[in-house]
Amino acid sequence: FSAFLFLQVELAAECGAGLFLVTERDRATGRVQRGQARRMAPLLPPDAISLATGGVASIDQVRELHAAGYDGVVLGRSYPGPPLPRHLC
């Protein structure tokens, strides 16, 4: 299930979703709202697989999202740097 809003995560969790893709990019405006995925992390079921995406542009963001409980991140056009260390892939 892909979500940007808290309500979307809550609804998907209630429906038993087991895979969450939480984005920090507001689909309506296209703008990244840094920290949105970290704020939503407590709503994710502990047994679900959770991925964060949308504006991930640094290894520090990857570490922050991992510390928040995400199983991984999806890197796209916002990540300009060198390849990530293998243990973070």
Side-chain angles (χ1 to χ4, degrees):
F1 187 85
S2 178
F4 172 75
L5 303 172
F6 287 87
L7 179 61
Q8 292 170 324
V9 170
E10 291 171 339
L11 179 62
E14 287 176 18
C15 291
L19 174 63
F20 289 79
L21 178 66
V22 178
T23 183
E24 295 198 333
R25 189 175 302 278
D26 184 333
R27 291 186 189 105
T29 66
R31 293 186 179 145
V32 173
Q33 293 192 16
R34 179 112 193 249
Q36 180 76 352
R38 284 192 320 272
R39 289 188 294 275
M40 291 173 50
L43 300 176
L44 298 169
D47 57 340
I49 296 170
S50 58
L51 304 172
T53 189
V56 179
S58 72
I59 191 67
D60 289 335
Q61 284 177 280
V62 173
R63 289 182 179 124
E64 289 170 10
L65 292 163
H66 179 72
Y70 285 90
D71 297 301
V73 298
V74 177
L75 299 176
R77 61 181 176 245
S78 294
Y79 183 73
L84 293 172
R86 184 133 181 90
H87 71 280
L88 293 175
C89 297

